Amino acid sequence: SRFLDDREINLQKQSRVFFQISGAGHEALLLGLAHSLRPSYDWFFPYYRDRSLVLGLGVTPTEILLQAVGSSADPASGGRQMPCHWGHRAKHIVTQSSATASQCIPAVGCAEATRYAQGRDLPGVDVHGDEITYVSLGEGSCNEGEFWESLNTACRLHLPVLYVIADNGYAISVRTEDQSPAPISEMVRGFRGLAIHAIDGRDYFQVRHFGARAVARVRAGEGPGLIHAKVTRPYSHSA
């Protein structure tokens, strides 16, 4: 993941890649979670820093580089989307728009759809009964209305959604403490039925342990969960 970041940054300086946004500092969190998630089974609404997650789900470095250069062979969008806007039909990775937190409402809709489809004979729809929907965003994006609207519905309907909030200390170029009145794991405490996990996303083994527990709870149908993970951002917001 870090090697791809560095390669794309070099290519961007050569004008062979026209946009780059790194997942540096988030790798331990996302790879740790990938071990508990199931590609082509669960559903994924990742955000642009989830490079190591999609690699952990089986997206290849070549496929990522095809998106970086805008190739028509890019499986995410045929070169139409910006780089790091992940998408892979076969692995159930749903592409997102560039508007931050806009992936949250479709993710909750996906989770509701998997529940609706259970026990119904719907043409072309295959459900397992214990799949979960993963959706991620940065701490700064939690200030967007889409996040709160989606969380309201996820908790009210007791949906199998796992929110992963990667807190790297910045909301683009503003410190998170200047952007929000409190950490997100504190602000969501009033949502009944929401299991909140505050972890050190820089500690791979802690992520493996608590991430597996969070995923298992959602998969068992016990309601939505939220992981608030402290990470770092050693590179700039984007290039």
Side-chain angles (χ1 to χ4, degrees):
S1 180
R2 187 70 62 94
F3 180 85
L4 283 169
D5 272 332
D6 293 340
R7 175 62 65 178
E8 287 179 0
I9 290 168
N10 287 337
L11 291 170
Q12 192 266 342
K13 292 176 180 178
Q14 298 167 11
S15 296
R16 298 169 71 185
V17 166
F18 298 97
F19 177 80
Q20 205 281 336
I21 193 160
S22 81
H26 294 223
E27 297 99 342
L29 166 67
L30 298 165
L31 185 59
L33 290 173
H35 281 277
S36 299
L37 299 166
R38 304 173 185 173
S40 308
Y41 190 101
D42 296 325
W43 292 87
F44 302 91
F45 291 76
Y47 90 122
Y48 46 76
R49 298 209 192 276
D50 281 18
R51 184 186 300 271
S52 58
L53 173 80
V54 300
L55 286 167
L57 297 176
V59 177
T60 68
T62 298
E63 289 171 329
I64 288 176
L65 288 170
L66 287 171
Q67 187 184 35
V69 300
S71 170
S72 61
D74 157 39
S77 66
R80 294 175 178 86
Q81 267 281 31
M82 295 171 69
C84 305
H85 286 48
W86 316 112
H88 202 290
R89 187 183 186 94
K91 300 188 186 304
H92 290 183
I93 302 173
V94 183
T95 190
Q96 81 261 27
S97 78
S98 297
T100 58
S102 60
Q103 66 271 27
C104 294
I105 292 177
V108 168
C110 177
E112 186 175 3
T114 61
R115 172 180 291 174
Y116 175 83
Q118 291 175 26
R120 290 181 168 89
D121 185 15
L122 301 175
V125 177
D126 184 22
V127 295
H128 307 280
D130 66 342
E131 56 267 86
I132 74 170
T133 299
Y134 165 103
V135 60
S136 61
L137 61 161
E139 168 94 351
S141 297
C142 294
N143 292 279
E144 301 286 0
E146 289 92 337
F147 167 72
W148 295 99
E149 290 176 42
S150 71
L151 190 63
N152 179 70
T153 299
C155 293
R156 183 174 58 85
L157 299 181
H158 209 63
L159 295 176
V161 183
L162 178 65
Y163 291 85
V164 176
I165 313 300
D167 183 358
N168 60 31
Y170 291 95
I172 303 182
S173 58
V174 177
R175 295 181 305 172
T176 51
E177 56 263 37
D178 296 330
Q179 180 83 2
S180 304
I184 191 62
S185 51
E186 296 180 17
M187 291 196 292
V188 297
R189 285 179 182 167
F191 283 83
R192 294 177 182 173
L194 179 67
I196 304 164
H197 312 268
I199 64 173
D200 185 351
R202 301 160 295 187
D203 185 333
Y204 175 75
F205 299 102
Q206 187 180 133
V207 174
R208 286 292 298 270
H209 176 70
F210 290 104
R213 291 174 59 181
V215 170
R217 179 189 175 277
V218 177
R219 198 179 297 285
E222 297 181 23
L226 183 144
I227 294 175
H228 175 206
K230 286 284 187 179
V231 292
T232 61
R233 197 189 81 187
Y235 292 177
S236 62
H237 175 266
S238 59

